[in-house]
Amino acid sequence: MNKYLFILVFTLVSTVIGYAQCSVNAGGKFTTCGTSYTLKGEVEGGATNINWTIVKKPNGATDPVISNTTILNPSVTGMNKPGDYTFRLSKKCDDNRVVTSDVVITSTGDISSFSAGSDILTIPATTGTVQLNGVIPEGFTGKWRAVNIYELERFSRENSNNAEFNAIDITNPTFSLIKKADHDVDPAYRIYLKITSLYNPNCSYEKYIIVRFIPNPKVLFPQVIESCVSSMDAINYYDPLITSPFFETFQKNAAGNPAFGTTVVLNTISTPVGGSIEYLNFDTRRFELKTTALGEYKFTFTIKNSTGEYTTPVLTYIKKGVKLKPISFLDSNYPEQHMVYAGGGSGGELLCNMVGSLTPVNINYSIDPNDDPITINSTASVDPRYVPGGVVPTIESFGAGLAKRYFKVIPPAGGWKIGTYVISMSYSSNGLCPSNTTYYIHVSDGNRPDLSIDDVVVCYPGSGIVDALVSLPPVFQQVIEPTYMLDYSGQYEISLISKPDGAAVPTYDSYNTTRSLKSNQTVIHNLNMPGEYIFKVRVAGYIESVDWLVKEEYECSGASRETTFKVIVSEQVGSNAGSNQDDLFCRARTVLVGNNPGAGQGKWTVESAPAGMVPTFSDDTNSRTIVAGLDMTGSYKFKWTIKTGDCISSSIVEVITDQDNCKKPLIITNPTTTNKTIKRKK
């Protein structure tokens, strides 16, 4: 009787769940951005008698250091060689079996040798070629780029004007000026080397050196320049010939800055009575002068540096007269008019609900109080190249001789069309030194929707930096109609509201690359931590003074031009389905131990099973689940899939059962009864 009860109890315990479950999980596969990592082991059956070992490493690598081999989450350091390191988590079970689980950690390796080389500062621009000497660590690729220092410091623009490499992806390329003796930009550059891991494309580093060529001093000028100036004390310009070498003296790190040895001296030959002339700078491809009287100035320039000295032929600058002061479109009586639409002294207004209207528009303007209105003539015309619908309005002029005047713009037959009308205006005093400006009449379609941008989910591989591609609303500028908001500079203005604690500050593409109103996508950079980033976006003018147009454009539609959106950076978790079970005897169910999906979503599925078997899970979304229905001897494979944002990782665990030996009849002698045949339960 006792023997019978023992077999019955054993059978019941074994069938229900395999109570003495002993299983380990070494965690999901991971690629570092560095040489260290914290292992993420899990165990079923108590965290005792466990041990971590290194079972595989890249060829030539030394053993990494495991801080404590007997705990589930030790730190690992010293993975200095790039490649795969396999760590094994073992556990000795109560029945003396040893179960194991492996995890592969990929290291990007040590980058202490990384270098872009040393600054190069003594090569003449007329030579214009240097050899770069970078160091790209093992396991990384390198890519060179050049940024002109003047463009960067003066305009915050990154470009490589007049520069080239013989190759950008080798350790020691040749860097050269395209134009050498006639270099058409200042010849000073930041030369960047960016390295990116072959194992983790989100793991990259960048360094730069300075290559500053010594400018060619032989600057070429036209013999005579005549100019009208905006005021007597305004800067005057004497521009070199387009074929001349150019450099800059004003910016701190430009090649022509006097601190680096290039000097410019003006040698005065003659001036008008009471006049004087002074050299200021060579900036934005122009020699800047200061003169004190109208008339003719004769002089030469002497330009000198370590490559030599050059004195120009005699040059003549004629200061002809002073231009009229800019006219103004601002008047409290006409609040619909604005100054600045497309830079300079331009102006404009928006017509709301005026499509098809025959109502004329008056362009009201004022002559500057310092100018004599009696001597001033003004004209206006519509540029026929840029006319909505192709029909040109007519213009009438009023107020000649007065300080306040206006042009009446009469719409064509059929009324105002959707789009932007460009009105060119010219004014001068007795025909001398004319000034020009432009006025824009924008006819809105009144059809802007509320600004809306969809949230973005980005997969974070666990290290490095990722970008988020953000879809912008459909483009409407110059799409609704070819002239719609013509010449206008608007942008999607993005600002950060919140980010994960400790995260870096995100960066954005420039206005003129992907954030203009003509863009349909932009990129947010420097996302270095998982979590939720919240941004505000606003349709705005490129500068505050032109913001009025998009403000009124959205007001005309009764729409909001601001919104918020999220970028959710979701950390990828590599899947590990746990240790295989190849000794399942007389049990129709067992426990599967997958790794924790963290913020991701996990799901168990049946990969394969003996014919006719349909295993089921107690909870297919729980990393620890009971799988039942293993009633037939054979191999069962189960897949554990973890989805994190747009990242998906999966792995498979195999369970091998032996049920056949449990089905054989067993004869048990009961001392109080006759012999009976008892079958074991499955």
Side-chain angles (χ1 to χ4, degrees):
M1 182 67 180
N2 291 339
K3 184 177 180 181
Y4 173 77
L5 291 174
F6 171 78
I7 293 173
L8 180 61
V9 170
F10 173 79
T11 303
L12 289 173
V13 169
S14 299
T15 302
V16 172
I17 190 169
Y19 282 137
Q21 181 78 34
C22 182
S23 180
V24 292
N25 189 310
K29 177 180 172 64
F30 190 82
T31 301
T32 70
C33 192
T35 60
S36 61
Y37 181 68
T38 299
L39 295 170
K40 297 177 173 60
E42 297 181 59
V43 65
E44 184 76 12
T48 57
N49 298 320
I50 62 172
N51 187 55
W52 285 99
T53 55
I54 173 75
V55 296
K56 189 177 180 182
K57 61 189 178 183
N59 292 333
T62 58
D63 281 348
V65 178
I66 303 174
S67 64
N68 187 338
T69 61
T70 63
I71 63 175
L72 286 174
N73 304 119
S75 61
V76 177
T77 56
M79 296 184 289
N80 295 329
K81 194 173 181 65
D84 291 343
Y85 294 75
T86 302
F87 297 90
R88 177 166 294 163
L89 177 60
S90 304
K91 176 177 172 60
K92 186 176 181 180
C93 304
D94 292 341
D95 58 4
N96 290 324
R97 288 180 302 116
V98 176
V99 292
T100 64
S101 176
D102 292 351
V103 63
V104 176
I105 305 300
T106 303
S107 170
T108 55
D110 180 34
I111 64 160
S112 59
S113 63
F114 172 41
S115 173
S118 301
D119 293 345
I120 302 173
L121 310 173
T122 60
I123 306 300
T126 50
T127 301
T129 298
V130 297
Q131 188 78 37
L132 302 176
N133 294 292
V135 177
I136 300 173
E138 180 185 3
F140 284 80
T141 60
K143 187 173 183 180
W144 295 90
R145 67 186 179 100
V147 174
N148 184 270
I149 290 176
Y150 171 76
E151 288 282 323
L152 181 65
E153 292 186 350
R154 186 73 163 82
F155 303 110
S156 298
R157 294 192 295 241
E158 291 196 6
N159 62 53
S160 58
N161 289 351
N162 196 41
E164 64 180 359
F165 299 88
N166 69 327
I168 62 170
D169 55 358
I170 62 176
T171 303
N172 305 114
T174 298
F175 173 69
S176 303
L177 298 178
I178 299 171
K179 296 181 179 180
K180 297 176 173 62
D182 57 344
H183 50 87
D184 52 6
V185 294
D186 183 89
Y189 298 86
R190 287 186 183 183
I191 309 300
Y192 290 86
L193 175 58
K194 182 176 183 178
I195 58 171
T196 301
S197 170
L198 290 166
Y199 298 91
N200 185 348
N202 296 294
C203 185
S204 60
Y205 307 88
E206 191 170 58
K207 293 183 178 180
Y208 74 86
I209 62 169
I210 301 295
V211 174
R212 185 183 292 113
F213 295 102
I214 302 170
N216 180 3
K218 192 174 181 179
V219 181
L220 307 177
F221 294 92
Q223 187 175 347
V224 179
I225 287 182
E226 297 182 350
S227 177
C228 291
V229 294
S230 59
S231 66
M232 284 299 295
D233 59 354
I235 292 175
N236 313 141
Y237 300 103
Y238 206 101
D239 297 346
L241 297 171
I242 193 65
T243 55
S244 171
F246 287 92
F247 56 87
E248 307 289 339
T249 65
F250 181 69
Q251 292 301 312
K252 179 180 179 181
N253 292 299
N257 189 289
F260 306 122
T262 296
T263 59
V264 178
V265 176
L266 183 143
N267 310 297
T268 303
I269 297 174
S270 65
T271 64
V273 176
S276 64
I277 185 170
E278 177 187 1
Y279 162 75
L280 301 176
N281 287 296
F282 190 6
D283 187 34
T284 60
R285 300 166 62 96
R286 320 185 83 176
F287 270 60
E288 298 178 349
L289 306 173
K290 185 77 170 178
T291 60
T292 57
L294 298 177
E296 182 179 273
Y297 297 81
K298 291 185 177 294
F299 52 89
T300 62
F301 289 115
T302 297
I303 305 165
K304 182 180 179 180
N305 57 34
S306 62
T307 68
E309 179 178 316
Y310 173 72
T311 298
T312 68
V314 175
L315 307 176
T316 301
Y317 175 71
I318 301 172
K319 189 173 183 178
K320 291 176 58 177
V322 179
K323 290 183 178 181
L324 296 173
K325 302 291 189 301
I327 60 175
S328 175
F329 300 108
L330 297 180
D331 190 318
S332 59
N333 294 316
Y334 310 107
E336 71 278 5
Q337 296 190 175
H338 302 272
M339 287 295 295
V340 189
Y341 173 102
S346 65
E349 64 182 278
L350 179 143
L351 304 185
C352 183
N353 299 320
M354 290 281 283
V355 177
S357 171
L358 294 172
T359 302
V361 169
N362 292 340
I363 303 174
N364 302 276
Y365 62 100
S366 301
I367 304 298
D368 189 274
N370 294 312
D371 294 325
D372 182 4
I374 296 177
T375 66
I376 295 175
N377 299 315
S378 53
T379 60
S381 61
V382 179
D383 191 329
R385 297 172 299 171
Y386 311 113
V387 181
V391 184
V392 179
T394 57
I395 297 180
E396 298 176 357
S397 180
F398 297 89
L402 301 177
K404 290 191 175 185
R405 310 177 183 186
Y406 69 94
F407 293 108
K408 176 180 285 188
V409 185
I410 303 170
W416 296 108
K417 305 295 191 296
I418 293 171
T420 305
Y421 296 83
V422 181
I423 314 298
S424 300
M425 300 174 60
S426 178
Y427 53 100
S428 64
S429 179
N430 296 320
L432 299 175
C433 293
S435 297
N436 300 286
T437 191
T438 306
Y439 194 87
Y440 296 81
I441 299 175
H442 175 62
V443 184
S444 176
D445 67 349
N447 199 31
R448 298 286 73 70
D450 288 340
L451 181 62
S452 177
I453 293 180
D454 292 337
D455 294 340
V456 180
V457 178
V458 178
C459 176
Y460 186 70
S463 58
I465 296 171
V466 296
D467 296 337
L469 182 65
V470 179
S471 295
L472 299 172
V475 177
F476 64 91
Q477 183 176 6
Q478 291 185 252
V479 171
I480 294 170
E481 206 279 336
T483 67
Y484 203 86
M485 294 174 64
L486 181 71
D487 295 340
Y488 182 72
S489 296
Q491 66 172 326
Y492 290 98
E493 184 181 82
I494 302 175
S495 58
L496 179 69
I497 295 177
S498 65
K499 61 183 177 64
D501 291 341
V505 177
T507 60
Y508 318 105
D509 283 349
S510 64
Y511 142 76
N512 56 0
T513 53
T514 68
R515 285 197 295 118
S516 79
L517 297 186
K518 296 180 182 180
S519 304
N520 54 26
Q521 290 180 323
T522 191
V523 179
I524 297 178
H525 306 275
N526 206 36
L527 305 172
N528 71 330
M529 285 184 63
E532 184 177 88
Y533 297 73
I534 302 178
F535 298 91
K536 181 175 79 171
V537 64
R538 175 174 175 262
V539 180
Y542 171 54
I543 54 177
E544 185 62 32
S545 57
V546 300
D547 190 59
W548 64 269
L549 182 61
V550 287
K551 176 178 179 292
E552 294 185 12
E553 173 76 3
Y554 277 79
E555 287 176 348
C556 183
S557 303
S560 171
R561 61 173 176 145
E562 291 187 6
T563 190
T564 60
F565 68 97
K566 298 176 183 177
V567 172
I568 301 168
V569 180
S570 188
E571 185 170 16
Q572 179 182 12
V573 178
S575 169
N576 189 327
S579 50
N580 291 332
Q581 302 177 40
D582 57 6
D583 57 352
L584 200 65
F585 177 72
C586 293
R587 291 189 315 219
R589 60 181 64 188
T590 190
V591 176
L592 301 179
V593 183
N595 62 317
N596 191 333
Q601 298 174 327
K603 187 173 180 64
W604 287 101
T605 54
V606 178
E607 184 73 6
S608 65
M613 292 293 95
V614 184
T616 58
F617 303 99
S618 60
D619 183 351
D620 62 3
T621 63
N622 195 321
S623 59
R624 283 175 165 81
T625 189
I626 300 170
V627 59
L630 314 181
D631 297 273
M632 182 178 291
T633 294
S635 171
Y636 297 77
K637 293 182 179 180
F638 303 100
K639 180 186 287 186
W640 176 234
T641 299
I642 297 176
K643 183 176 182 182
T644 314
D646 52 358
C647 292
I648 298 177
S649 175
S650 62
S651 61
I652 293 174
V653 63
E654 183 178 27
V655 176
I656 299 175
T657 68
D658 182 2
Q659 306 292 4
D660 293 341
N661 290 325
C662 298
K663 298 175 183 177
K664 294 179 180 180
L666 178 65
I667 305 300
I668 300 177
T669 301
N670 189 322
T672 61
T673 64
T674 58
N675 291 342
K676 295 182 179 179
T677 298
I678 301 175
K679 288 186 178 180
R680 290 174 176 166
K681 292 184 178 180
K682 294 178 183 177

